[in-house]
């Protein structure tokens, strides 16, 4: 059942959680180790976004009018009550889901349009980024198109070849898509020399894009997740959900999102943080293959695999952690947003990990009840939702659960097919040894905190 | 720019155009040639839908409350003004598009849920149908799922193998998908005997589904287009658009839709018919490969390729017309809705045909301006919109154009990729001789009109 969205659900300002945190927000470090300042980001990030990234005091960051107008092409998105799923599970819990990425392909459009807008305002000509299966790249392609910027996306080669749906969308939208590794960058050439058939990784694609951006003053790098300004833009999700939940007559007791880099999770929960800290549970769900929160180490690590991007204080599996095969491209990142990492460190949020098999199974149950097939990333959130709803049934608790479905499965329906026809493997699981090896070269930082 | 949809845009009754037509609506014939009555449809169609199919007097057909509720999961859909496209084209025309199929995969969900609802009310256990690329099958899968019915979809074998996206969605939603021809039906076995590698056709898939439904009293056949009750259900599009256009401050001068079987076109234009006949232009756009209106013959022909379905008075290329290769599965049908056919016969609507190359090129222009990649079917409508907008520029006319985008390209992005990377052929075009051959076995009907 859709809670009909109303125009006034959409906010005119993003919400910056940093001033409301009960602890100091972690700092970033430049690639060479000193405390990061605006000038370190200038070659890569438009000025307004740097301000947002480093903003410590202002809670409300106005959304510029022209950007509000563009957001209104697909926002406010709808909140749904999953009544058929509740019935199917026989749970007294109320389950709500915020459905993102319906008109806009994925929730990542929420930050893509903001980044493209500020880039254009500053006279930037071109944006570059790295993408896995293409979700983030597609959002950036839409945004750069609207704001008349050029764009190039380095796409993990194995996805480029095996899951080309996202690539096709980007190309139709006139974005250059480059399989990574490629000979376009030094890091790519290096990798190809070591392994001419390299399938690539998200870390490598990000390094390539970083290198590309550093070569040209008219080109900037666009971040798909992890960074504070990205999570800031995503708060439109939670701000809308808050108003819509009020209309639906409920305050959430449990908030759930999948976490890859953490931006969907932050976007949903930050606006509820101040009111519900200690009253509601915030659950971050990761892939068992990429358990940075539940099995990673807390410390400084680079945002990309080659050490070109800033260092971030976060839970990390090591920047060279090599991806076991798994479907959900958005979950394949070695680290985690510094804000989400700090919240976990402070025990203000919970984290758990599920296998791909568990996640896809839950998503099929959800799809058959609700008629919406969640993206493989969102499948992880759905698994936690179902587990919590079943716990409510067993404990006879009428809790209200709110989750975010960051996109439907249009860009990656194949994942589900393998599951449904039984050709899906259980997955390779987390590789403890690979992560240990990757963590052995964590940078050493002087004078932390 | 989205004209924010409001709850009250959604009607509580469908609009039946038949009583308002300025001419008598055409009758159907049973497969053996006599004038068709309710009993001929009973083995295949739930009773309420038969009433709707044959209704001559009642203009408003109430939408049952539970069905209204389910519609509200994705309706009202949004109306957009294509301002960036207008600017790109330098036209003084205002271009509006109604965007369907965003949450629901395709516009065909509008009739699928109605058919599933009435089937369940009558105690039917299972629905069957035929589908090309899978758009219609996906909508039926969603609908049968929601109303707890079983469903089987005969899918054209070449699409089943080469464009499996739609198949995957149906299978995740627990619908049985059978490649057609198959040995499940006599017509399928016959075809396979003649040609074991038969790629199939929509006509054959429909015959298979018809045969399947005729064997079992608990199984009914679901129509994706052509029939009056299907077009009736689709009037939610035009009814909403009428209210939304009023809010956007304009009365359309030109209404445009692609036509395969005619249901998107009818759904958009019927609600405007009475007010705008003689004042606005209604343009039906077909594929040059399947030009039933512009190059077909007007007369009775069967709805399927094997002559198991009722005979329909329509523009037809002959039920055995073999499909030249083309992408837009929804345009590959030998005939046309009897209502749309009669409107064209009476010169109350216009028709034109474009090649696949022209259509996809226009859709890419549209996508790059608006950030929405239309389904290949809708690409044909978009080509006409652009041509009319350019004519407005040349004639300095400030006309208002309204079209329907029946779905985005999620289920068939490959079509665009071939186009963008240049591997797309110009298409094989219409085969005059194949149609002549197919028309040579049109049934002879006694005592017409």
């Amino acid at each position: 059942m859709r809670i009909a969205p109303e125009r006034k659900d959409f906010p005119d300002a993003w919400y910056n959680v940093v001033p409301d945190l009960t602890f100091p927000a972690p700092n970033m470090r430049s690639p060479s180790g000193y405390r990061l300042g605006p000038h370190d980001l200038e070659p890569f990030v438009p000025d307004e976004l740097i301000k947002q990234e480093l903003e410590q005091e202002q809670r409300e960051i106005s959304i510029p009018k022209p950007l509000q107008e563009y957001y209104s092409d697909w926002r406010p998105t709808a909140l749904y009550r999953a009544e058929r799923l509740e019935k199917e599970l026989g749970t007294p819990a109320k389950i709500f889901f915020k459905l993102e990425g319906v008109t806009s392909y994925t929730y990542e459009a929420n930050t893509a349009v903001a980044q493209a807008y500020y880039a254009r305002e500053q006279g930037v000509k071109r944006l570059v980024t790295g993408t896995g299966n293409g979700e983030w790249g597609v959002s950036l392609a839409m945004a750069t198109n609207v704001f008349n910027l050029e764009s190039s996306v380095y796409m993990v080669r194995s996805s480029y070849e095996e899951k080309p749906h996202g690539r096709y969308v980007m190309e139709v939208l006139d974005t250059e898509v480059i399989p990574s590794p490629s000979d376009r960058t030094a890091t790519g050439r290096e990798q190809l020399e070591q392994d001419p058939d390299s399938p690539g990784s998200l870390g490598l694609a990000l390094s390539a894009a970083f290198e590309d951006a550093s070569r040209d003053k008219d080109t900037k790098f666009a971040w798909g997740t992890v960074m504070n300004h990205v999570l800031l833009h995503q708060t439109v999700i939670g701000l809308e959900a808050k108003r819509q939940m009020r209309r639906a007559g409920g305050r959430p007791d449990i908030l759930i999102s999948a976490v890859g880099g953490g931006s969907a999770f932050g976007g949903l929960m930050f606006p509820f943080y101040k009111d519900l800290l200690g009253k509601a549970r915030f659950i971050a769900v990761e892939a068992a293959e990429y358990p940075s929160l539940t099995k990673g180490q807390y410390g400084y690590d680079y945002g990309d695999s080659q050490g070109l991007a800033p260092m971030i204080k976060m839970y990390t599996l090591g920047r060279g952690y090599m991806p076991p095969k798994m479907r959900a491209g958005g979950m394949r990142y070695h680290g985690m947003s510094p804000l989400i990492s700090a919240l976990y460190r402070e025990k203000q949020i919970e984290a758990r990990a599920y296998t791909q098999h568990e996640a896809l199974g839950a998503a099929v149950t959800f799809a058959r009840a609700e008629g919406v097939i969640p993206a493989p990333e969102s499948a992880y959130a759905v698994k936690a939702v179902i587990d919590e709803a079943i716990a409510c049934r067993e404990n006879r608790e009428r809790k209200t659960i709110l989750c975010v479905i960051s996109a439907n499965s249009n860009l990656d329906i194949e994942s589900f097919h393998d599951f449904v026809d039984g050709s899906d493997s259980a997955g390779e699981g987390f590789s403890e040894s690979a992560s240990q090896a990757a963590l052995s070269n964590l940078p050493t930082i002087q004078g932390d905190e």
Side-chain angles (χ1 to χ4, degrees), chain A:
Chain A
M1 187 188 69
R2 180 166 72 164
I3 316 306
E6 293 176 11
R7 207 167 194 156
K8 64 177 166 47
D9 297 339
F10 184 74
D12 51 16
W14 295 292
Y15 167 65
N16 178 23
V17 75
V18 173
D20 284 329
L21 292 175
T22 61
F23 52 87
N27 301 311
M28 282 195 295
R29 298 282 177 148
S30 77
S32 45
Y34 56 81
R35 185 165 162 177
L36 184 129
H39 55 281
D40 295 299
L41 291 170
E42 269 161 28
F44 305 105
V45 183
D47 298 345
E48 273 303 316
L49 296 173
I50 297 176
K51 271 193 221 159
Q52 294 176 1
E53 182 65 33
L54 303 175
E55 180 60 52
Q56 302 281 319
E57 288 170 14
Q58 212 179 314
R59 283 177 177 80
E60 300 213 327
I61 314 280
S62 292
I63 304 174
K65 281 275 175 222
L67 190 50
Q68 284 186 36
E69 208 167 279
Y70 186 60
Y71 270 128
S72 76
D73 266 12
W74 79 93
R75 305 208 70 87
T77 60
L79 177 74
Y80 289 80
R81 170 130 180 233
E83 284 180 310
R84 292 189 295 269
L85 179 64
E86 292 167 13
K87 214 168 152 189
E88 175 85 21
L89 299 174
T91 181
K94 287 185 195 171
I95 301 173
F96 291 89
F97 62 97
K98 180 86 169 154
L99 185 58
E100 291 288 313
V102 172
T103 317
S104 63
Y105 289 101
T106 81
Y107 79 106
E108 285 146 317
N110 296 331
T111 185
V113 294
Q115 294 187 50
Y117 170 79
Y118 288 116
R120 189 199 58 179
E121 288 300 287
Q122 194 178 315
V124 170
K125 300 268 181 296
R126 176 169 167 266
L127 289 178
V128 292
T129 196
T131 196
N133 290 0
E135 287 87 352
W136 164 233
V138 162
S139 287
L140 192 71
M142 282 185 59
T144 49
N145 220 20
V146 166
F147 292 109
N148 287 311
L149 299 167
E150 291 171 46
S151 53
S152 302
V153 173
Y154 290 85
M155 183 171 183
V156 174
R157 183 179 292 275
S158 59
S159 296
Y160 181 91
E161 286 166 358
E162 290 161 28
K163 297 182 170 190
H165 192 123
R167 164 162 72 103
Y168 295 163
V169 173
M170 288 185 266
E171 289 178 344
V172 170
L173 295 176
D174 213 14
T175 283
E176 181 189 35
V177 187
I178 306 152
S180 161
S182 78
D183 60 9
R184 288 272 290 264
T185 63
T187 55
R189 286 189 295 271
E190 200 177 294
Q191 184 67 22
L192 286 174
E193 230 162 75
Q194 284 170 33
D195 175 8
D197 298 322
S198 168
S201 73
L202 184 55
L204 268 176
L206 294 173
S207 292
F210 236 84
E211 189 185 325
D212 182 323
S214 68
R215 285 192 304 235
D216 175 6
K217 70 173 184 40
D218 289 334
T219 296
K220 301 283 180 192
F221 178 90
W223 301 84
T225 180
V226 175
M227 301 292 277
N228 294 2
H229 67 276
V230 176
L231 275 64
L232 173 78
H233 301 152
Q234 292 295 356
T235 59
V236 293
I237 300 173
L239 290 165
E240 287 178 8
K242 216 169 158 177
R243 294 163 193 200
Q244 293 167 334
M245 285 298 296
R246 224 173 276 145
R247 204 152 63 241
R251 198 194 70 182
D253 301 300
I254 308 174
L255 290 94
I256 296 174
S257 169
V259 285
S263 70
F265 181 77
L268 177 70
M269 65 122 355
F270 286 173
F272 290 95
Y273 173 79
K274 206 179 154 196
D275 292 349
L276 297 187
L277 183 62
K279 293 180 195 141
R281 291 163 59 205
F282 305 111
I283 306 177
V285 189
E286 50 189 15
E289 286 79 5
Y290 270 82
S292 49
L293 288 177
T294 52
K295 301 213 171 155
Q297 190 167 313
Y298 193 56
Y300 278 97
D301 198 1
Y302 295 96
D304 65 329
S305 71
Q306 303 304 105
L308 306 177
M311 281 194 258
I312 298 165
K313 194 168 187 191
M314 60 182 175
Y315 282 92
T316 176
L317 301 166
R319 70 181 197 270
Y321 178 62
M322 277 308 289
K325 274 193 185 153
M326 58 170 290
R327 306 294 321 205
M331 311 289 273
R332 287 190 306 218
Y333 184 65
H334 64 275
M336 184 56 62
S337 144
L339 290 176
I340 306 304
S341 292
L343 283 163
Y344 185 61
R345 180 76 169 183
E346 298 286 332
K347 299 192 168 51
Q348 297 187 346
I349 64 172
E350 302 170 35
R352 67 177 72 165
Y354 291 113
T355 66
Q356 172 170 296
H357 196 78
E358 291 170 324
L360 294 182
V364 168
T365 301
F366 181 89
R368 290 180 179 176
E370 295 296 324
V372 172
I373 310 177
E377 289 78 7
S378 308
Y380 291 83
V382 166
K383 170 63 176 157
V385 167
I386 290 179
D387 280 2
E388 291 298 324
I390 289 172
C392 286
R393 180 182 70 204
E394 283 164 10
N395 305 328
R396 297 189 187 183
E397 290 177 310
R398 298 188 161 277
K399 293 207 166 145
T400 297
I401 302 170
L402 169 63
C403 77
V404 58
I405 306 285
S406 58
N408 75 13
S409 64
N410 277 329
L411 291 176
D412 191 12
I413 187 72
E414 290 83 0
S415 298
F416 286 93
H417 185 68
D418 293 351
F419 182 86
V420 168
D421 79 359
S423 68
D424 175 62
S425 69
E428 299 179 19
F430 173 58
S431 170
E432 187 90 39
S433 58
S435 177
Q436 286 304 333
L439 286 168
S440 67
N441 68 350
L442 271 198
T444 317
I445 297 289
Q446 302 298 322
D448 186 21
E449 303 317 73

